[in-house]
Amino acid sequence: FEVEEVYLTQECGAQLQQPLLHDGHLYLNSNGNKRADGFVCIDLDGNLKWKTVKEPNFERGALIMASGLIYAMNGKTGDLALIEASPDGFKMLSQAPVFPREPGKKGGKVAWAPLVLVDGKLIARDQTTMKCLDVRRP
């Protein structure tokens, strides 16, 4: 087989988590040691559709997709967001604290581990705790 570079972009770059591909667009946490672009959407030609920068940022948290919806863990705050996958703009549908941080404490345990979704159950963990969440619709 052969490899051919389709495009190269400096618009975004993920350090830990792999981008998600949905309907001709890539969704990713474009965060790392040298960048903090937040959550980003680009098309398959490398054109930036949108980026959140700091609001929200999601740090280096994991992403997973099911039924056109993105589950995104904020690696710093421990909050889990449900995001609509759309190139038209960032749209958070819901958010909940999964690994709440102690008030007044800076830092804490990061939540960078990959997410697992099986039969409506989402498994997430930070550096000390693992949780299984039922994310099926009622």
Side-chain angles (χ1 to χ4, degrees):
F1 68 92
E2 293 182 26
V3 175
E4 176 186 341
E5 185 176 287
V6 178
Y7 65 86
L8 178 64
T9 182
Q10 297 300 317
E11 289 288 346
C12 59
Q15 182 177 10
L16 294 179
Q17 310 298 339
Q18 299 299 313
L20 301 174
L21 174 62
H22 180 71
D23 288 342
H25 292 84
L26 294 170
Y27 299 88
L28 64 143
N29 276 342
S30 182
N31 297 299
N33 293 339
K34 297 184 180 181
R35 64 183 324 133
D37 300 318
F39 203 68
V40 174
C41 175
I42 61 172
D43 66 21
L44 296 182
D45 293 320
N47 300 309
L48 178 69
K49 302 309 265 181
W50 51 261
K51 67 171 79 173
T52 63
V53 187
K54 293 183 181 182
E55 294 299 326
N57 181 274
F58 294 103
E59 216 256 350
R60 294 178 189 130
L63 310 170
I64 197 165
M65 179 176 279
S67 302
L69 298 173
I70 300 169
Y71 294 84
M73 179 63 68
N74 186 313
K76 187 173 185 178
T77 67
D79 293 341
L80 179 69
L82 185 62
I83 301 165
E84 181 180 314
S86 171
D88 298 328
F90 177 80
K91 184 175 181 186
M92 186 182 318
L93 303 173
S94 182
Q95 180 173 266
V98 174
F99 303 107
R101 304 301 183 229
E102 292 182 41
K105 275 199 166 183
K106 290 190 176 188
K109 308 290 188 240
V110 295
W112 293 352
L115 298 171
V116 177
L117 183 61
V118 178
D119 196 27
K121 302 287 187 351
L122 182 73
I123 299 172
R125 73 175 182 87
D126 66 5
Q127 290 175 305
T128 59
T129 307
M130 181 180 289
K131 293 186 178 183
C132 180
L133 310 167
D134 188 343
V135 295
R136 294 174 290 186
R137 293 183 179 164

